């Protein structure tokens, strides 16, 4: 965002030249638009990279959560089987 005050100053300068527009003014306008375009592309790429990283992190979290759920289900099933075996042993003894 540090480039914005300079961009605003350049745009203000171009507005001041509007009454006596020249080929040099066109060249300055092209430079301002190019700078804006490059800045926007860079910021968009940075945002896209951040979104991709977030998406990857969410996927990792989802896998971790599913693994934890599976471990809890396995533990519950194991305890259920152990309780059934102990109940059967108590009933026969």
């Amino acid at each position: 965002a540090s480039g914005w005050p300079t961009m605003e100053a350049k745009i203000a300068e171009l507005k001041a030249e509007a009454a006596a527009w020249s080929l040099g003014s066109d060249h300055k306008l092209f430079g301002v638009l190019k700078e804006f375009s490059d800045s926007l592309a860079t910021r968009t790429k940075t945002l896209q990279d951040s979104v991709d990283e977030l998406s990857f992190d969410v996927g990792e979290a989802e896998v971790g959560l599913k693994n934890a759920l599976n471990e809890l289900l396995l533990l519950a099933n194991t305890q259920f089987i152990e309780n059934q075996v102990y109940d059967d042993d108590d009933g026969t003894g």
Side-chain angles (χ1 to χ4, degrees):
S2 63
W4 287 109
T6 346
M7 178 85 58
E8 289 173 0
K10 290 177 182 178
I11 291 172
E13 182 183 329
L14 286 171
K15 284 182 180 179
E17 293 180 17
W21 198 259
S22 67
L23 187 56
S25 301
D26 280 344
H27 185 47
K28 287 179 188 176
L29 177 60
F30 174 77
V32 168
L33 292 175
K34 177 81 168 108
E35 181 181 339
F36 177 76
S37 173
D38 292 345
S39 172
L40 185 61
T42 300
R43 292 170 57 199
T44 302
K45 174 70 171 123
T46 301
L47 179 61
Q48 180 65 47
D49 291 346
S50 296
V51 169
D52 289 345
E53 184 177 342
L54 178 62
S55 177
F56 180 78
D57 291 345
V58 167
E60 279 187 329
E62 179 185 16
V63 168
L65 183 60
K66 286 181 178 180
N67 285 342
L69 179 61
N70 285 337
E71 288 178 21
L72 287 172
L73 289 172
L74 180 61
L75 178 62
N77 287 336
T78 301
Q79 288 179 344
F80 175 78
I81 292 171
E82 287 176 358
N83 287 337
Q84 290 301 313
V85 170
Y86 291 138
D87 287 348
D88 288 347
D89 286 347
D90 290 343
T92 60

